[in-house]
Coordinates of all heavy atoms in Angstrom, one line a residue:
E268 N 224.5 24.6 57.5 CA 225.8 24.8 56.8 C 226.0 26.2 56.3 O 227.1 26.7 56.3 CB 225.8 23.8 55.6 CG 226.0 22.4 56.0 CD 226.0 21.4 54.8 OE1 225.4 21.8 53.7 OE2 226.4 20.3 54.9
K269 N 224.9 26.9 56.0 CA 225.0 28.3 55.7 C 225.4 29.2 56.9 O 226.0 30.2 56.7 CB 223.6 28.8 55.2 CG 223.2 28.4 53.8 CD 221.9 29.0 53.4 CE 221.5 28.5 52.0 NZ 220.2 29.1 51.6
M270 N 225.1 28.6 58.1 CA 225.5 29.3 59.3 C 226.9 28.9 59.8 O 227.4 29.3 60.9 CB 224.5 29.0 60.4 CG 223.1 29.6 60.1 SD 221.8 28.9 61.3 CE 222.4 29.7 62.8
G271 N 227.6 28.1 59.0 CA 229.0 27.8 59.3 C 229.1 26.5 60.1 O 230.2 26.2 60.6
Y272 N 228.1 25.7 60.2 CA 228.1 24.5 61.0 C 228.6 23.3 60.1 O 228.3 23.3 58.8 CB 226.8 24.1 61.5 CG 226.4 24.8 62.8 CD1 225.7 26.1 62.6 CD2 226.6 24.3 64.0 CE1 225.3 26.8 63.8 CE2 226.2 25.1 65.2 CZ 225.6 26.3 65.0 OH 225.2 27.0 66.1
S273 N 229.4 22.4 60.6 CA 229.7 21.1 60.0 C 228.6 20.1 60.4 O 228.4 19.9 61.6 CB 231.1 20.7 60.4 OG 231.3 19.4 59.9
V274 N 228.0 19.5 59.4 CA 226.9 18.5 59.7 C 227.2 17.1 59.1 O 227.6 17.0 58.0 CB 225.6 19.0 59.0 CG1 224.5 18.1 59.4 CG2 225.3 20.4 59.5
K275 N 227.2 16.1 60.0 CA 227.4 14.8 59.6 C 226.1 14.0 60.1 O 225.6 14.2 61.2 CB 228.6 14.2 60.3 CG 229.9 14.8 59.8 CD 231.1 14.1 60.4 CE 232.4 14.8 60.0 NZ 233.6 14.2 60.6
S276 N 225.6 13.1 59.2 CA 224.4 12.3 59.6 C 224.4 10.9 59.0 O 225.2 10.6 58.0 CB 223.2 13.1 59.0 OG 223.2 13.1 57.6
G277 N 223.6 10.1 59.6 CA 223.4 8.7 59.1 C 222.1 8.6 58.4 O 221.4 9.6 58.1
N278 N 221.6 7.3 58.2 CA 220.4 7.1 57.6 C 219.2 7.1 58.6 O 219.3 6.8 59.7 CB 220.4 5.7 56.9 CG 221.4 5.6 55.8 OD1 221.6 6.5 55.0 ND2 222.0 4.4 55.7
L279 N 218.1 7.6 58.1 CA 216.9 7.8 58.9 C 216.2 6.4 59.0 O 215.9 5.7 58.0 CB 215.9 8.8 58.3 CG 214.5 8.9 58.9 CD1 214.6 9.4 60.4 CD2 213.6 9.8 58.1
Q280 N 215.8 6.0 60.2 CA 214.9 4.9 60.5 C 213.8 5.4 61.3 O 214.0 5.9 62.4 CB 215.7 3.8 61.3 CG 216.9 3.2 60.5 CD 217.6 2.2 61.4 OE1 217.0 1.2 61.9 NE2 218.9 2.3 61.5
L281 N 212.6 5.2 60.8 CA 211.4 5.8 61.5 C 210.3 4.7 61.5 O 210.1 4.0 60.6 CB 210.9 7.0 60.7 CG 209.8 7.9 61.3 CD1 210.1 9.3 61.1 CD2 208.5 7.5 60.7
Q282 N 209.5 4.7 62.6 CA 208.4 3.8 62.8 C 207.3 4.5 63.6 O 207.5 5.0 64.7 CB 208.9 2.5 63.5 CG 207.7 1.5 63.7 CD 207.1 1.0 62.4 OE1 207.8 0.5 61.5 NE2 205.8 1.1 62.3
A283 N 206.1 4.4 63.1 CA 204.9 4.9 63.8 C 204.2 3.7 64.4 O 204.1 2.6 63.8 CB 203.9 5.6 62.9
T284 N 203.7 3.9 65.7 CA 203.0 2.8 66.4 C 201.7 3.3 66.9 O 201.7 4.4 67.6 CB 203.9 2.2 67.5 OG1 205.1 1.9 67.0 CG2 203.2 1.1 68.2
L285 N 200.6 2.6 66.7 CA 199.3 3.0 67.3 C 199.2 2.4 68.7 O 199.5 1.2 68.9 CB 198.2 2.4 66.4 CG 198.1 2.8 64.9 CD1 196.7 2.4 64.4 CD2 198.3 4.3 64.7
Q286 N 198.9 3.2 69.6 CA 198.7 2.8 71.0 C 197.4 3.4 71.5 O 196.9 4.4 70.9 CB 199.9 3.3 71.9 CG 201.2 2.7 71.5 CD 202.4 3.2 72.4 OE1 202.1 3.7 73.5 NE2 203.6 3.0 71.9
P287 N 196.8 2.8 72.6 CA 195.5 3.4 73.0 C 195.6 4.9 73.3 O 196.5 5.4 74.0 CB 195.3 2.6 74.4 CG 196.0 1.3 74.1 CD 197.2 1.6 73.3
K288 N 194.8 5.6 72.6 CA 194.6 7.1 72.7 C 195.7 7.9 72.1 O 195.8 9.1 72.3 CB 194.3 7.5 74.1 CG 193.0 6.8 74.7 CD 192.8 7.3 76.1 CE 191.5 6.7 76.7 NZ 191.2 7.1 78.1
K289 N 196.7 7.3 71.5 CA 197.8 8.1 70.9 C 198.5 7.3 69.8 O 198.4 6.1 69.6 CB 198.8 8.4 72.0 CG 199.5 7.2 72.7 CD 200.4 7.6 73.8 CE 201.0 6.4 74.5 NZ 201.8 6.8 75.7
V290 N 199.3 8.1 69.1 CA 200.2 7.6 68.0 C 201.6 8.0 68.5 O 201.9 9.2 68.7 CB 199.9 8.1 66.6 CG1 200.9 7.6 65.6 CG2 198.5 7.7 66.2
V291 N 202.5 7.0 68.5 CA 203.9 7.3 68.9 C 204.8 7.1 67.7 O 204.8 6.0 67.0 CB 204.4 6.4 70.0 CG1 205.9 6.7 70.4 CG2 203.5 6.6 71.3
I292 N 205.6 8.1 67.3 CA 206.5 8.0 66.2 C 207.9 8.1 66.7 O 208.3 9.1 67.3 CB 206.2 9.2 65.2 CG1 204.8 9.2 64.7 CG2 207.2 9.0 63.9 CD1 204.4 10.3 63.8
D293 N 208.7 7.1 66.5 CA 210.1 7.0 66.9 C 211.0 7.0 65.7 O 210.7 6.4 64.7 CB 210.4 5.7 67.7 CG 209.7 5.7 69.1 OD1 210.0 6.6 69.9 OD2 208.8 4.9 69.3
A294 N 212.1 7.7 65.8 CA 213.1 7.8 64.7 C 214.5 7.7 65.3 O 214.8 8.2 66.3 CB 212.9 9.2 64.0
L295 N 215.3 7.0 64.5 CA 216.8 7.0 64.7 C 217.4 7.7 63.6 O 217.2 7.4 62.4 CB 217.3 5.6 64.8 CG 216.9 4.8 66.0 CD1 217.4 3.3 65.9 CD2 217.6 5.4 67.3
L296 N 218.2 8.8 63.9 CA 218.9 9.6 62.9 C 220.2 10.1 63.5 O 220.2 11.2 64.1 CB 218.0 10.8 62.4 CG 218.6 11.7 61.4 CD1 218.9 10.9 60.1 CD2 217.7 12.9 61.1
P297 N 221.2 9.3 63.3 CA 222.5 9.8 63.9 C 222.9 11.2 63.2 O 222.9 11.3 62.0 CB 223.5 8.7 63.4 CG 222.7 7.5 63.2 CD 221.4 8.0 62.7
L298 N 223.1 12.2 64.1 CA 223.4 13.5 63.6 C 224.4 14.2 64.5 O 224.2 14.2 65.8 CB 222.0 14.3 63.6 CG 222.1 15.8 63.4 CD1 222.6 16.1 62.0 CD2 220.7 16.4 63.6
T299 N 225.4 14.8 63.9 CA 226.4 15.6 64.7 C 226.6 16.9 64.0 O 226.8 17.0 62.8 CB 227.7 14.8 64.7 OG1 227.6 13.6 65.4 CG2 228.8 15.7 65.5
I300 N 226.5 18.0 64.8 CA 226.7 19.3 64.3 C 227.9 19.9 65.1 O 228.0 19.7 66.3 CB 225.5 20.2 64.3 CG1 225.0 20.5 65.8 CG2 224.3 19.6 63.5 CD1 223.9 21.5 65.9
A301 N 228.7 20.7 64.4 CA 229.9 21.2 65.0 C 230.2 22.6 64.5 O 230.1 22.9 63.3 CB 231.1 20.3 64.8
K302 N 230.5 23.5 65.5 CA 231.0 24.8 65.1 C 232.0 25.2 66.2 O 233.1 24.8 66.2 CB 229.8 25.8 65.1 CG 230.2 27.2 64.4 CD 229.0 28.0 64.2 CE 229.3 29.3 63.5 NZ 228.1 30.2 63.4
E303 N 231.6 26.0 67.2 CA 232.4 26.3 68.3 C 232.4 25.1 69.3 O 233.4 24.9 70.0 CB 232.0 27.6 69.0 CG 232.1 28.8 68.2 CD 231.6 30.0 68.8 OE1 231.0 29.9 69.9 OE2 231.7 31.1 68.3
E304 N 231.3 24.3 69.3 CA 231.2 23.1 70.1 C 230.5 22.1 69.3 O 229.9 22.4 68.2 CB 230.5 23.4 71.4 CG 229.0 23.9 71.2 CD 228.3 24.1 72.5 OE1 228.6 23.4 73.5 OE2 227.4 24.9 72.5
T305 N 230.6 20.8 69.7 CA 230.1 19.7 69.0 C 228.9 19.1 69.7 O 228.9 18.9 70.9 CB 231.1 18.6 68.7 OG1 232.2 19.1 68.0 CG2 230.5 17.4 68.0
K306 N 227.8 18.9 69.0 CA 226.6 18.3 69.6 C 226.2 17.1 68.8 O 226.2 17.2 67.5 CB 225.4 19.3 69.6 CG 225.7 20.5 70.5 CD 224.5 21.5 70.5 CE 224.7 22.7 71.4 NZ 223.5 23.6 71.4
S307 N 225.8 16.1 69.5 CA 225.3 14.8 68.8 C 223.9 14.5 69.2 O 223.5 14.7 70.3 CB 226.3 13.7 69.1 OG 227.6 13.9 68.6
F308 N 223.2 13.9 68.2 CA 221.8 13.5 68.4 C 221.6 12.2 67.7 O 222.3 11.8 66.8 CB 220.8 14.6 67.8 CG 221.1 16.0 68.3 CD1 222.0 16.8 67.6 CD2 220.5 16.5 69.4 CE1 222.2 18.1 68.0 CE2 220.7 17.8 69.8 CZ 221.6 18.6 69.1
E309 N 220.6 11.4 68.2 CA 220.3 10.1 67.5 C 218.8 9.8 67.6 O 218.2 9.4 66.6 CB 221.1 9.0 68.2 CG 221.0 7.7 67.5 CD 221.8 6.6 68.1 OE1 222.3 6.8 69.3 OE2 222.1 5.6 67.4
K310 N 218.2 9.8 68.8 CA 216.9 9.4 69.0 C 215.9 10.6 69.0 O 216.1 11.6 69.7 CB 216.7 8.6 70.3 CG 217.5 7.3 70.2 CD 217.3 6.5 71.5 CE 218.1 5.2 71.5 NZ 217.9 4.4 72.7
F311 N 214.8 10.4 68.3 CA 213.8 11.5 68.2 C 212.4 10.8 68.4 O 212.2 9.7 68.0 CB 213.8 12.2 66.9 CG 215.1 12.8 66.5 CD1 216.1 12.1 65.9 CD2 215.4 14.1 66.8 CE1 217.4 12.6 65.6 CE2 216.6 14.7 66.5 CZ 217.6 14.0 65.9
Q312 N 211.5 11.5 69.0 CA 210.1 10.9 69.2 C 209.1 12.0 69.2 O 209.3 13.1 69.7 CB 210.1 10.2 70.6 CG 208.7 9.5 70.8 CD 208.7 8.8 72.1 OE1 208.4 9.4 73.2 NE2 209.0 7.4 72.1

């Protein structure tokens, strides 16, 4: 926002899962940033 972006977001949903030899963390976070162009994000891992 200090850089002039418009930011819209939803609620964070996050879950960690133990799997053989690794830990996987998945997150849902609806996110849209806009300035000269608009970018949207939702799934993170």
Side-chain angles (χ1 to χ4, degrees):
E268 288 176 341
K269 286 181 180 179
M270 296 169 64
Y272 284 86
S273 171
V274 182
K275 295 182 180 179
S276 64
N278 295 324
L279 171 67
Q280 299 179 51
L281 186 145
Q282 178 63 53
T284 306
L285 303 191
Q286 298 181 16
K288 300 182 180 181
K289 62 185 177 183
V290 177
V291 179
I292 306 175
D293 290 295
L295 286 176
L296 179 61
L298 171 64
T299 299
I300 64 173
K302 194 174 182 181
E303 296 176 354
E304 61 178 332
T305 300
K306 296 181 181 180
S307 295
F308 309 87
E309 183 177 20
K310 295 182 179 180
F311 303 84
Q312 186 180 81

